[in-house]
Amino acid sequence: MTLENRMKKWKNSLYNHQHLEEGAIAELEDHLRENISILMEKGLDEKDAFEQSVKNLGNLPEIADEEQSAQYSKPTFVTALLKSFLKVGTRQFRRNRLTSGINMLGLTTAFCASLFIGLFVYDELSFEKRHPDWDKIYRLSYSFIEQNGKIEDRAFSSGMWVDQLAPRNPAIIDRFRFLMLSYGYINNPLNEDSYYTEGVYWSDPNFFDFLNFELKFGEPEAQLNDLSSIILTETTAKKHFGNENPIGKQLKFVRRSRELNLTVTGVIFDPPSNSHFQPEYVAHLQALQGILGEERRGWVDRNPAPGYLYTYIKVNSPEAIPVISADMKSIWEEVIPDQAEQITPLLTPLSDIHFQPPMRWEIDSPIDMSYLYGLMVIGVFILTIALTNYINLTTALGGKRQKEIGLRKTLGSTKSQLRWQFFIESSLSIVISMIVATAICYFLMPGFNELTGKNINLLISFESAEFITVFAVTTMFIILTSGFWSSMYFTKRIKNNFNMNAFFKRENANSKARNIMVVLQFTVAICLIIGTIIVYNQLQLINNGFLAKSRNAVIGIRTSLMGDSLQIQRYKTEIQSISGVIGNTHGMHLPRQSDFGRTDTRYLATEISDQEYYWNKFDADGGFVQTFDLKLIAGEDFKRRIDPGSVIVNETVVRELGVTPDEAIGVFLREDSINYVYEAAHGKIIGVVEDFAYKSIKEAIEPVVIVANNSVWGVLSVKLETDDTQMILASLREKWREIYPGRPFEYWFLDKEFERLYNQERRLGRLIPIFSGLAIVIALLGLFALTVFISELRKKEMGIRKVLGCSTREILRLLTWQYLRTLIPAIIIALPLSYIGLDYWLNNFAYRVNVNIGVMLLAVFSVVIVALLTVSIKSLSAVKKNPVESLKYE
């Protein structure tokens, strides 16, 4: 059959289709003849050239039907386009399963990661905003000037201050106080179970009016009306009474030898994670009088000195705060004139408490806003990279759709209709990815909450107007950006003819923009790798730093107010016979907590100078140094459990004295200050120990004087062998029940206690590697997308080079260099950027790792290797193709 006979048969098949007009068929015939001529010039015979050209045109009747359906009537325009998308989109997905699957995977992963970050950040930023009039509530606290001139912010206040303040200032419309009394435990008379707790909020009766806590059981009007009333959280109620309704049940609060009988009147749902109010029990503040005794009558609400209550006020306008501060100052001048000059009022907005620098006796775990900013930047990076990847890969696949687009225009489609087609295709892809990502987040939320220590509810978050607004705006921005770019990209670059040379020429003009995106992806990848390594190293320093060699084998047992000194001595003595117990010491809490002993104690060392020194005092018996494996660098350890004439100091004390450790031995230290809890301790320095962390390593190690004192309240620290910890703990518990009948056996491992000091960092250490890893993977997917794109653009060039004798290695080097050369500006941007950001974060720690050149080189090397592998795999597959196929493409 001749070529003309084939053309005639082909035209007749088109005439039989009602939606193909004479003019369109004539234009299609011209284009078909032109393509047949090109293919015949390349060596194909008439038959093969005809069949290849017809195949390249695609299924013309099907395309014509789709276009006619879309143009049939304006009321059905959108419906027709959606129907067309389902057909065309499904067909395109089947033809390009790998690249389309990578595209959807990248989008879904990015949306899922960004949604998790958004939920975490929203939960942090919404702290305390669930309470009525939260923006009008302030906490009353104060700042205190120590004897040595150091200023210390303290979270609590006196109970009587607000009673004096409120009548003077009508701007105060309500007030609320509560106290957390340490060293007490709750006993259930039904089963004699006892639980130590610091979570009792001894509260003013307007607890439920001032704060928003929802009752699960009980009537609102019956709460805290009686001094014997107590309210439990849902978890606490289950611990005491199982799943039964506990209303009317009896509990007993025990402190020292005093007991207070309480009746359960309500159960509240567990407090959300975005609140610094975390009670386990709520009881009436005035009921404390039965525990404190007559000797301390009025201590709660009539003591003018700074006390231990947390006080909150509600004002009618924030403008009243300066006046309230001035009134507070006037009250101090009246009731505590000897301290008025040393203290300054602090009125902190309720929603700011979580973000302020930590105060002494703070009940919240504040977060540094830089952590949230860091997570938000990662979230924006992830979305930006994913969106760029989607657009790049979509346009890369566009080369395969040029004939379809050209035919649609030939058959009568307008630019507007084509734009709608691609806009809807892109938008539906985004929406589907977002829906899948949200579903994944829903199912993974329990694991995310466990990872972050939060209690986020995805469905409740979507009920928030603020969150849903941000979510909707972000989604719409992504849809509009991707849809607009895709639709404009295709309709501006494809004309009625199918000239690939013109198409690729225009594409090459956009190479600068794509190179910028590659630089951005490399920059982000390098920054995230460096950040992940440094955060990990800093957490390792925290976990494996001072005292690490012993703290995983030391437990603390709470002994304060559990019994008298004879019981403590007996327990210490008898547990030494338990197999696996290496040693013990009774003394201060480690890590050093703010309510354990006196800080900034004034000492004199007249043998050396007349200077006053303000050092910390650490009371413990003579077994402290041995139990914690402190390293003696001069002198000797205590010889007795009680040694009133001797002290041991750390290296920092010696440095402040200006002598060597050996010269410090024998120097007499005199404690010249009033100690409200423990007696003043004087003595000669008999030993100097290497500095050890007894507080957070965010703070520099301060000078400390260790006194051998066996009568302190505090904690019994027991050092264990680690071979069979559970058996040793069981023996310790059994001995405890024998010596302390009815008292709860409360213990904790020292390493876990230190971990509590770094909740922010540990959360950051869990989240950043995960999200950074996802961002890097998505960036590599984008690199793969660009490789696909460039391979499509340069098929003809690679075919010509191979025909002219270029080896596969030379072509591969040419392709990979295009990407690797973008690493140079990426490295120039990423290294200083990551150094500045990480150095700023590490400045929060007195003891920190360094952002060294080795870490930076490792990050750069990792990105180069991974990028090289990613690009090489795709490029290699492209250059190995038959050059005839590459040239035939044109």
Side-chain angles (χ1 to χ4, degrees), residues 574-644:
E574 295 193 13
I575 65 173
Q576 280 300 119
S577 62
I578 295 175
S579 176
V581 174
I582 300 174
N584 68 75
T585 184
H586 189 239
M588 294 295 183
H589 198 295
L590 273 177
R592 175 67 172 273
Q593 294 185 352
S594 56
D595 57 344
F596 275 78
R598 186 169 177 81
T599 59
D600 297 318
T601 304
R602 183 167 57 193
Y603 280 95
L604 297 174
T606 55
E607 299 173 32
I608 294 178
S609 72
D610 295 330
Q611 182 180 344
E612 294 179 349
Y613 301 96
Y614 291 89
W615 297 331
N616 292 330
K617 179 184 176 184
F618 202 95
D619 291 82
D621 66 28
F624 179 77
V625 173
Q626 182 180 4
T627 300
F628 286 99
D629 287 332
L630 301 185
K631 183 179 179 181
L632 276 163
I633 58 176
E636 59 184 3
D637 194 2
F638 295 113
K639 292 185 173 61
R640 299 177 296 275
R641 290 280 179 165
I642 304 174
D643 193 350

Side-chain angles (χ1 to χ4, degrees), residues 354-411:
H354 186 60
F355 304 102
Q356 67 180 5
M359 292 184 176
R360 192 176 184 188
W361 287 290
E362 181 60 81
I363 58 174
D364 184 37
S365 297
I367 189 169
D368 192 323
M369 280 298 295
S370 63
Y371 296 165
L372 297 186
Y373 293 145
L375 283 175
M376 286 189 281
V377 167
I378 292 176
V380 171
F381 277 161
I382 289 174
L383 281 179
T384 302
I385 292 172
L387 184 57
T388 305
N389 292 349
Y390 176 77
I391 293 172
N392 283 339
L393 194 51
T394 300
T395 53
L397 295 173
K400 298 181 179 181
R401 301 185 65 181
Q402 57 166 329
K403 295 180 177 62
E404 171 200 338
I405 299 167
L407 285 173
R408 290 182 185 277
K409 294 186 73 175
T410 300
L411 295 172

Side-chain angles (χ1 to χ4, degrees), residues 325-337:
S325 295
D327 289 342
M328 191 69 258
K329 197 72 175 171
S330 299
I331 291 172
W332 287 339
E333 290 173 355
E334 296 172 10
V335 299
I336 45 173

Side-chain angles (χ1 to χ4, degrees), residues 826-849:
I827 293 170
I828 294 173
I829 297 171
L831 295 187
L833 191 65
S834 57
Y835 179 85
I836 293 170
L838 288 167
D839 188 65
Y840 173 81
W841 176 68
L842 289 169
N843 282 335
N844 291 316
F845 300 89
Y847 302 93
R848 45 164 282 182
V849 298

Side-chain angles (χ1 to χ4, degrees), residues 202-214:
W202 302 92
S203 165
D204 280 330
N206 64 336
F207 179 86
F208 286 97
D209 296 327
F210 202 91
L211 303 175
N212 179 23
F213 283 94
E214 185 180 352

Side-chain angles (χ1 to χ4, degrees), residues 379 383 431 439 472 508 612 645 690 713 784 871:
L383 281 179
V431 170
N508 290 330
E612 294 179 349
E690 193 177 69
W713 297 356
F784 180 81
V871 174

